[in-house]
Amino acid sequence: MKKPLQYDRVNKIFNEGSKHAVHALRDVSFAINAGELFCLLGPSGCGKTTILRCTAGLESLTSGHILYGDQDITSIPPYRRNIGMVFQSFALYPHMNVFENVAYGLRVRKLDDKEVKRKVNQIIELVGLADVLKRNPSPTALSGGQQQRVAIARALVYDPDVLLLDEPLANLDAKLRRYMRAEIRRIQKATNITTIFVTHDQEEAMAVGDRLAVLRDGIVEQIGTSNELYHNPCNAFVANFIGKMNFFYAQILACDSHWVKATLYDGTLLSIPRKNYREPIHPIRGDRILIAARPEHLSISTEASSSPSIAGQVSIIQHLGHIVRYEVDVAAEFSDQPLEIDMDSLVESVREKDNIRIVFDQQKIAVYGSDGSR
Ligand SMILES: Nc1ncnc2c1ncn2[C@@H]1O[C@H](COP(=O)(O)OP(=O)(O)OP(=O)(O)O)[C@@H](O)[C@H]1O
Ligand SMILES: [Mg+2]
């Protein structure tokens, strides 16, 4: 019976009291459902590995609690927590063959040979290595993807309550990563083990996780499904981290309970639904705000449009199969980055270097009070 995991105001300060103190986790509180595949996502150094190490008992907490079901596991030593972990560098034992690598956790637990054989075969089958096991080579004779599967099998074989995966796909090439992330999801769903999957790749997190948490500087910025985080990011940091987002500045002209009216540098007026104002600050006339638009919420036009638009010059046109992506340069007062605009199909008459209009989908674009920096 799998149980939920809960983090209650967890703080971790490395080297506390010294001038080298690092406050790696700051009041981290969230819960992971039983059987859930939960992703931790965030830039390097934000505290992802630290959360896993605290969960496994490899680091003690400075304050706060971690619960597995009703049980407070904060002070339980690592060997008494039934947790499987695949580390960031998933070191396999090079002197042991594949079978013994996977069997290791069972040997430590002193299971008899027959039981070891049964469990190893079962888990090897699950991770898709049955053919490799017939040869039973040393891990050095395996491809990256096969080594990865051995590392996962090794963590799963003793039926852990919780599985912790720290950037398990980091050493694989892009194509294999995409394949293996689907495999990890398949394996996790087959075993139903409460799992935390750490990555700094947002596409991977969105593809793999039932839900994800975005971390920054030891703080949980937002938790939700991929869909929630993509369509309703709570601040500009999350908006920028999850998927591509175009940002540009505007100035508030008026605001009521239905609309935020804002002007762009060239006087263009935008009327944005008030519900798209993401931060709970009351906007005041003259405030500088940040407008955020996904590539699919902008479009390219060669003619005057009834919707508001601004001038731009196409720099690059990329055919990406299902969409065409236009990179468009705009006035520096508007944005110092080129905008990315996705169209369902090629706009026939438009070539690179052409001057065009960028049209806003006012119902979809969002407004943030600040750029999300702290
Ligand atoms: N043992 C330690 N002693 C001192 N500081 C540490 C220790 N372990 C981690 N830190 C610091 O804590 C912060 C969080 O580190 P952590 O390894 O959790 O980051 P991460 O999110 O896993 O990053 P990455 O994506 O690079 O793996 C970093 O500033 C790191 O330097
Ligand atoms: Mg890490």
Side-chain angles (χ1 to χ4, degrees):
M1 182 53 187
K2 306 300 176 199
K3 296 174 187 167
L5 255 183
Q6 200 180 329
Y7 298 79
D8 182 18
R9 284 165 294 151
V10 168
N11 280 279
K12 175 66 188 176
I13 304 173
F14 289 104
N15 309 321
E16 195 178 13
S18 94
K19 64 176 182 192
H20 301 299
V22 180
H23 202 157
L25 299 176
R26 298 164 187 263
D27 273 332
V28 166
S29 293
F30 62 94
I32 301 175
N33 301 320
E36 188 171 31
L37 175 45
F38 191 89
C39 282
L40 287 180
L41 175 67
S44 187
C46 70
K48 305 180 295 294
T49 297
T50 304
I51 291 186
L52 295 196
R53 289 179 58 80
C54 288
T55 310
L58 302 171
E59 300 287 353
S60 58
L61 307 190
T62 305
S63 67
H65 297 272
I66 301 177
L67 286 89
Y68 179 65
D70 296 335
Q71 190 190 12
D72 188 336
I73 60 168
T74 313
S75 310
I76 294 183
Y79 58 88
R80 288 190 42 226
R81 302 183 193 197
N82 190 24
I83 288 178
M85 187 155 174
V86 175
F87 292 92
Q88 212 159 346
S89 58
F90 52 87
L92 298 173
Y93 307 119
H95 57 287
M96 292 182 190
N97 58 33
V98 166
F99 184 96
E100 287 305 327
N101 260 280
V102 177
Y104 183 79
L106 303 174
R107 303 259 189 241
V108 170
R109 286 167 176 76
K110 304 214 179 328
L111 269 71
D112 68 42
D113 276 355
K114 210 170 134 208
E115 192 59 4
V116 169
K117 198 162 181 210
R118 190 185 68 77
K119 285 191 179 261
V120 171
N121 282 327
Q122 185 190 4
I123 221 76
I124 286 278
E125 180 81 29
L126 177 73
V127 300
L129 282 180
D131 283 348
V132 169
L133 192 60
K134 285 182 195 143
R135 289 187 283 127
N136 198 17
S138 88
T140 49
L142 298 178
S143 72
Q146 289 166 336
Q147 289 183 37
Q148 190 55 61
R149 287 167 196 267
V150 175
I152 293 169
R154 192 174 58 174
L156 282 175
V157 75
Y158 48 86
D159 192 21
D161 294 324
V162 175
L163 179 64
L164 307 175
L165 303 170
D166 195 355
E167 306 234 15
L169 308 179
N171 299 326
L172 307 181
D173 68 49
K175 198 169 167 199
L176 191 54
R177 274 180 89 121
R178 277 198 294 279
Y179 178 67
M180 279 303 294
R181 76 190 186 200
E183 279 294 281
I184 286 181
R185 195 170 160 84
R186 178 186 66 77
I187 294 164
Q188 194 274 337
K189 291 299 155 206
T191 54
N192 202 33
I193 294 175
T194 308
T195 299
I196 308 182
F197 181 107
V198 161
T199 176
H200 58 252
D201 178 339
Q202 56 91 17
E203 190 192 302
E204 195 164 280
M206 288 175 78
V208 164
D210 294 320
R211 285 188 307 149
L212 29 147
V214 177
L215 265 103
R216 174 171 52 158
D217 298 338
I219 292 175
V220 176
E221 295 278 346
Q222 192 172 1
I223 295 176
T225 61
S226 302
N227 198 47
E228 285 161 357
L229 264 55
Y230 188 82
H231 292 292
N232 203 1
C234 69
N235 59 33
F237 175 80
V238 177
N240 199 23
F241 208 79
I242 302 281
K244 170 65 195 176
M245 188 69 100
N246 298 293
F247 287 105
F248 34 89
Y249 285 105
Q251 209 173 34
I252 299 236
L253 192 66
C255 183
D256 61 26
S257 52
H258 299 293
W259 300 100
V260 177
K261 293 191 188 296
T263 47
L264 302 178
Y265 77 101
D266 63 352
T268 302
L269 177 70
L270 295 176
S271 297
I272 302 162
R274 177 64 196 254
K275 66 177 171 46
N276 295 7
Y277 198 97
R278 302 278 190 237
E279 283 165 310
I281 306 162
H282 187 73
I284 300 169
R285 185 188 172 102
D287 276 357
R288 197 161 93 127
I289 51 166
L290 203 57
I291 309 266
R294 297 284 185 201
E296 61 272 26
H297 298 154
L298 299 172
S299 58
I300 284 188
S301 173
T302 49
E303 296 151 24
S305 159
S306 56
S307 300
S309 66
I310 59 152
Q313 186 185 39
V314 175
S315 61
I316 298 170
I317 303 175
Q318 297 179 72
H319 301 264
L320 301 180
H322 58 302
I323 51 153
V324 184
R325 175 159 300 167
Y326 291 81
E327 225 176 86
V328 181
D329 292 327
V330 290
E333 302 93 314
F334 186 64
S335 169
D336 52 7
Q337 303 281 328
L339 303 190
E340 280 184 20
I341 301 172
D342 289 350
M343 302 291 282
D344 290 339
S345 57
L346 201 63
V347 186
E348 279 302 336
S349 56
V350 173
R351 304 274 176 274
E352 288 170 352
K353 304 234 170 351
D354 281 1
N355 291 314
I356 47 94
R357 302 294 296 176
I358 300 167
V359 182
F360 298 90
D361 182 343
Q362 296 180 98
Q363 290 298 318
K364 301 282 175 57
I365 57 181
V367 180
Y368 293 95
S370 66
D371 63 8
S373 56
R374 275 204 294 265

